[in-house]
Amino acid sequence: RFTIDYPMEYRERQHMLELDSLEEMYEYAGKLLIEDTNVSRIKEELSEKVKEKVDKHQKEYILREQLKVLNEEFCDAVKELEAAAEIKEKIRKEIKRYKILSQGSAEANVERGYIETLLEMPWDKMSEDNRDLDAAAQVLDEDHYGMKKIKERILESLAVRNITSKGDAPILCLVGPPGTGKTSIARSVAKALNKKYVRICLGGVRDEAEIRGHRKTYVGAMPGRIITAFKAAGVKNPLMLLDEIDKISSDYKGDTASALLEVLDREQNSHFVDHYIELPTDLSQ
């Protein structure tokens, strides 16, 4: 007796019954199995290809949606940014350029980092200074014993600024051996004036790019230490301490001291240009 549990069409079953021997029946059944096996394999291959294509389109869709959300966030951030009109226009142009770049490419990542840096900059954001000189004198006396001449010089600078109401901040040079309180008195002045305090240690700095930053076309480019500290402060009028400024040096990568001229010159520091930012930054306050 021959039995088979296999889904067969009516004509295939009829043909099976008309065969004379079991050998012919087995050959015919084997042929049907091989054909169905090949069909199943082809269907599976097609299914995998379709799945890959769908996954690819789904991935592209997700990336497009992420890019759309990111662009909306960038545009909202530009609207809320406290900055001059030309700076906002520059950022909008960079956002438009970012939209047409291929996502995931190195250039797109560089552009995104550049836009985020521009949006994090405190272009016109300021903190309100405490103009109470008596309170400033009290803080200086509480934090430091003696140092009479230094305290008087600092208070004189603050008093002149209060009287003239000029925005330009004084640039003071503190000189003395290690441990005499140069760094700590700068911190006390920031505390007395209710200013944000940022410290930049320049000891051993030999590369001009540490001050002025790298061109963003270079791999791993970043702003210089001045802009990085400026961004960390979150306001355009922090108290910025350039520590160990006498220990900078120069080599084939450029003259670091000359790069500091634009930072410390009262006539130039209102338009300090970092190589990475490529926009004038106001350091005068």
Side-chain angles (χ1 to χ4, degrees):
R1 182 183 175 186
F2 181 83
T3 60
I4 182 168
D5 186 14
Y6 181 74
M8 299 172 66
E9 293 183 359
Y10 170 77
R11 290 179 182 178
E12 292 172 342
R13 289 177 180 273
Q14 182 64 37
H15 182 73
M16 176 78 77
L17 293 172
E18 292 174 356
L19 295 173
D20 296 330
S21 64
L22 286 176
E23 185 178 350
E24 290 178 345
M25 289 182 179
Y26 277 118
E27 286 180 357
Y28 184 66
K31 176 186 173 185
L32 294 178
L33 286 171
I34 291 171
E35 287 177 355
D36 278 358
T37 302
N38 289 335
V39 170
S40 297
R41 181 174 53 80
I42 292 170
K43 285 182 178 179
E44 188 177 347
E45 290 177 357
L46 289 174
S47 177
E48 286 294 325
K49 289 180 179 179
V50 171
K51 185 175 180 295
E52 288 177 5
K53 194 170 183 180
V54 169
D55 289 344
K56 182 180 179 182
H57 286 307
Q58 188 175 13
K59 183 179 179 182
E60 290 175 353
Y61 171 76
I62 292 171
L63 287 174
R64 284 197 302 270
E65 289 300 310
Q66 287 177 342
L67 179 60
K68 183 179 178 181
V69 172
L70 187 62
N71 287 331
E72 289 175 357
E73 289 178 355
F74 280 159
C75 293
D76 292 341
V78 172
K79 291 178 183 177
E80 297 174 1
L81 190 66
E82 297 180 26
E86 57 268 21
I87 292 174
K88 288 188 175 184
E89 184 60 29
K90 165 72 173 175
I91 299 175
R92 289 191 184 99
K93 287 181 180 178
E94 294 297 330
I95 293 173
K96 288 180 182 177
R97 184 171 180 271
Y98 176 66
K99 287 180 180 178
I100 63 175
L101 291 175
S102 174
Q103 293 308 301
S105 65
E107 190 176 3
N109 292 331
V110 169
E111 188 66 27
R112 177 177 175 176
Y114 179 60
I115 294 170
E116 288 175 347
T117 301
L118 293 181
L119 292 174
E120 290 170 3
M121 287 288 292
W123 299 104
D124 286 339
K125 187 177 180 180
M126 296 180 64
S127 61
E128 188 174 351
D129 292 351
N130 181 8
R131 294 179 174 270
D132 189 346
L133 294 182
D134 292 334
Q138 183 179 350
V139 171
L140 291 174
D141 288 335
E142 287 175 355
D143 292 349
H144 299 84
Y145 176 77
M147 304 175 72
K148 184 178 179 181
K149 289 184 178 179
I150 297 172
K151 293 176 185 176
E152 287 180 354
R153 177 69 183 90
I154 291 172
L155 291 173
E156 283 174 4
S157 298
L158 299 179
V160 170
R161 194 177 182 211
N162 283 354
I163 293 170
T164 58
S165 298
K166 287 185 177 179
D168 292 350
I171 299 175
L172 302 178
C173 180
L174 305 178
V175 183
T180 53
K182 299 186 296 297
T183 303
S184 62
I185 202 166
R187 192 182 299 112
S188 295
V189 172
K191 177 182 173 184
L193 297 180
N194 194 30
K195 278 181 174 289
K196 295 287 185 179
Y197 170 76
V198 285
R199 173 179 174 269
I200 304 171
C201 184
L202 297 176
V205 172
R206 304 168 65 88
D207 189 356
E208 180 184 340
E210 292 281 342
I211 306 298
R212 301 183 63 91
H214 305 81
R215 298 286 181 187
K216 68 176 185 289
T217 51
Y218 293 115
V219 176
M222 62 183 68
R225 294 195 183 193
I226 303 296
I227 293 298
T228 302
F230 198 56
K231 187 174 66 171
V235 290
K236 68 179 291 186
N237 61 334
L239 188 145
M240 188 177 291
L241 173 66
L242 306 181
D243 213 356
E244 309 292 351
I245 200 171
D246 58 315
K247 294 182 175 61
I248 59 174
S249 55
S250 303
D251 63 2
Y252 68 95
K253 295 179 181 178
D255 188 353
T256 312
S258 297
L260 279 172
L261 178 62
E262 193 176 0
V263 178
L264 299 172
D265 187 354
R266 301 283 287 275
E267 297 298 322
Q268 300 183 56
N269 63 7
S270 60
H271 292 82
F272 172 73
V273 178
D274 184 275
H275 287 158
Y276 181 84
I277 299 292
E278 294 180 339
L279 285 170
T281 307
D282 185 9
L283 302 180
S284 64
Q285 300 187 30

